[in-house]
Amino acid sequence: QISPPRLTVASVKTLSSLKLRPTGTRMPSSAKPLSGLKVIELGTLIAGPFASRICAEFGADVVKVESPDGGDPLRKWRKLYEGTSLWWFVQARNKKSLTLNLKHPDGLEILKKLLSEADILIENFRPGVLEKLGLGWDVLHALNPKLVMVRLSGFGQTGPMKDQPGFGAVGESMGGLRYITGFEDRPPVRTGISIGDSIAALWGVIGALMALRHREVNGGAGQVVDVALYEAIFAMMESMVPEFDVFGFIRERTGNIMPGITPSSIHTSADGKHVQIGANGDAIFKRFMLIIGREDLANDPQLASNDGRDSRRDEIYGVIDRWVNSLPLDSVIELLNQADVPASRIFSAEDMFSDPQYLAREMFLQAKLPDGKDFKMPGIVPKLSETPGDCEWVGPQLGEHNTQVLQELGYDASQIAQLRKDGAI
């Protein structure tokens, strides 16, 4: 089990699950905001599992259904420790792992029993896969009228592209993000993480909570939350649509600057380090110019508002570049802080581990890997003042909770042994 630095690990459960006991004000699981919700995850890799991870962190009972043949491929992605991805231990925290062979009738029957009692199903199969298993929405809604079904896919459940495979990278491209990312004289670039999947997961959780509120407050039935990865990105594209529709304006790649909003960019210090400065507020810009000794620009009436500054963008960025390049990064940050100008060094993971703000906000949870080795993982977001989320155990071993989940469904030891012998689990 996992805790912020103020908590201690008191006992060890089986395999990778580590049980925490609070020394401070840790909330019991029953007091978390999603306590009492049953979530079934039929997902792999990023979008679906990230959505259910958020539910698990805030108290939902999440059962992750995996194939007995290796489980979620994320278990083997990126950096491995003792054969298991460190990413897996984070992405699957607080979840129970149940292995089901959905091609076996008994495996399918177990899944139906789970779904008959569930509040939310989260899945990110290609559209049509569940229908081929006999688990389309009409069947599931008849089985459990209160069920909320979150469907995450590349292009949604309808439309001419619905059957095409689509990963986050494709969603980022079709949704418009890749087109505007990078420098104008070079091809588009990607962000360093799978941002399309993660944004889609957040929309999925938002949709699920909306559907639950409708069910519980308005007396409504369960419903489908249909999230397409490209639409999740498209929804974040700010003023792109009206600017094109009204003016025919197509936003292009502009490197590190924020187009139409000046100044906001990345600059290089004398010691070769980088700083993001956002001085695009009118009063902030004036303070910024004063602290760097450019009273002429601080008091220039044309630069008192954003439209005037943006029309002289190259001049302003030249001034800032020269100033930042004349000082070491620490001096730049110190002066900008004195003037209340929003700025930040460009943080690496190494910078984060020693940063006072990260530490004060408990953004690193101290955990243990299955062999007892200590490691840190990201803290919980968002921070709720009365019912905070937390991490009770790291990502489980494949099928770690088979017996527990099946016993809760009413299966006895002999039945579970037979299911295992028959290849259903």
Side-chain angles (χ1 to χ4, degrees):
Q1 276 219 348
I2 319 313
S3 67
R6 69 176 184 271
L7 303 180
T8 60
V9 176
S11 63
V12 179
K13 286 180 65 177
T14 59
L15 301 175
S16 63
S17 298
L18 306 177
K19 203 67 179 170
L20 289 180
R21 295 294 180 267
T23 59
T25 57
R26 183 185 181 88
M27 300 296 293
S29 295
S30 60
K32 294 179 185 177
L34 300 185
S35 175
L37 285 180
K38 185 84 169 183
V39 177
I40 307 303
E41 179 200 307
L42 294 174
T44 59
L45 300 177
I46 305 173
F50 186 34
S52 64
R53 164 189 154 185
I54 296 168
C55 297
E57 289 169 347
F58 287 90
D61 180 9
V62 176
V63 176
K64 179 179 177 67
V65 176
E66 300 185 79
S67 167
D69 185 20
D72 192 332
L74 190 73
R75 291 175 174 274
K76 300 295 182 181
W77 273 29
R78 300 253 172 91
K79 298 292 185 181
L80 305 185
Y81 180 82
E82 300 285 328
T84 299
S85 167
L86 289 170
W87 190 3
W88 164 259
F89 291 120
V90 178
Q91 186 82 316
R93 57 191 184 186
N94 289 7
K95 299 179 188 179
K96 298 172 182 174
S97 172
L98 171 68
T99 54
L100 292 181
N101 178 0
L102 298 183
K103 296 179 181 179
H104 192 289
D106 290 339
L108 202 57
E109 182 61 27
I110 293 169
L111 178 58
K112 287 182 178 179
K113 288 184 179 181
L114 280 171
L115 293 174
S116 70
E117 302 175 356
D119 294 287
I120 302 172
L121 165 62
I122 297 175
E123 65 96 5
N124 65 344
F125 293 138
R126 191 188 300 192
V129 170
L130 283 183
E131 285 74 9
K132 289 179 181 177
L133 290 171
L135 295 175
W137 174 242
D138 54 342
V139 173
L140 295 180
H141 188 59
L143 179 69
N144 180 357
K146 71 175 184 177
L147 182 69
V148 171
M149 186 180 190
V150 178
R151 312 198 75 171
L152 297 136
S153 63
F155 307 102
Q157 303 297 313
T158 59
M161 297 180 69
K162 68 180 179 66
D163 295 323
Q164 294 187 25
F167 286 160
V170 175
E172 294 163 28
S173 300
M174 185 173 177
L177 179 61
R178 294 286 180 94
Y179 187 85
I180 65 168
T181 304
F183 289 84
E184 59 185 345
D185 60 342
R186 279 163 270 178
V189 299
R190 66 166 299 155
T191 56
I193 59 170
S194 304
I195 192 71
D197 293 283
S198 300
I199 290 176
L202 294 173
W203 284 121
V205 173
I206 292 169
L209 296 179
M210 289 177 179
L212 286 177
R213 188 185 189 281
H214 172 65
R215 190 189 79 184
E216 295 167 3
V217 176
N218 300 328
Q223 59 183 298
V224 175
V225 177
D226 181 2
V227 179
L229 268 66
Y230 84 95
E231 292 169 354
I233 291 294
F234 177 73
M236 309 297 289
M237 294 304 295
E238 300 178 349
S239 57
M240 180 186 74
V241 167
E243 288 175 351
F244 175 73
D245 189 47
V246 175
F247 298 119
F249 174 77
I250 299 176
R251 182 171 166 181
E252 302 287 347
R253 293 182 291 284
T254 53
N256 288 326
I257 72 167
M258 179 65 74
I261 302 172
T262 302
S264 180
S265 187
I266 296 174
H267 308 271
T268 303
S269 63
D271 49 355
K273 298 177 181 177
H274 308 291
V275 59
Q276 169 70 51
I277 301 174
N280 44 284
D282 296 344
I284 296 172
F285 176 76
K286 185 168 186 175
R287 294 198 302 269
F288 184 24
M289 293 298 101
L290 290 173
I291 199 71
I292 70 173
R294 291 303 302 264
E295 291 83 357
D296 57 325
L297 299 181
N299 297 315
D300 188 329
Q302 187 182 16
L303 304 181
S305 62
N306 180 70
D307 56 345
R309 291 192 296 272
D310 198 53
S311 68
R312 293 167 60 180
R313 177 196 305 167
D314 292 344
E315 174 192 354
I316 292 171
Y317 282 131
V319 169
I320 299 172
D321 278 337
R322 288 189 291 274
W323 177 73
V324 174
N325 195 242
S326 70
L327 297 169
L329 179 64
D330 288 346
S331 298
V332 171
I333 296 292
E334 182 179 357
L335 288 168
L336 293 174
N337 287 341
Q338 289 176 15
D340 282 337
V341 175
S344 174
R345 70 178 66 238
I346 305 301
F347 275 62
S348 68
E350 184 178 11
D351 297 321
M352 297 170 188
F353 266 50
S354 59
D355 182 71
Q357 182 68 19
Y358 271 87
L359 297 176
R361 297 276 293 175
E362 296 180 341
M363 284 312 300
F364 298 104
L365 300 183
Q366 191 69 33
K368 286 186 182 296
L369 292 164
D371 65 354
K373 178 180 174 62
D374 290 328
F375 82 115
K376 290 182 174 66
M377 59 167 54
I380 306 297
V381 178
K383 298 189 180 301
L384 276 62
S385 62
E386 299 300 323
T387 55
D390 63 20
C391 182
E392 298 185 40
W393 63 85
V394 297
Q397 292 196 10
L398 184 62
E400 180 175 337
H401 299 93
N402 281 4
T403 298
Q404 177 186 345
V405 173
L406 292 173
Q407 286 178 340
E408 290 172 354
L409 289 175
Y411 292 86
D412 61 28
S414 62
Q415 290 172 312
I416 294 171
Q418 189 64 46
L419 289 168
R420 186 173 288 109
K421 181 179 178 181
D422 293 342
I425 64 173

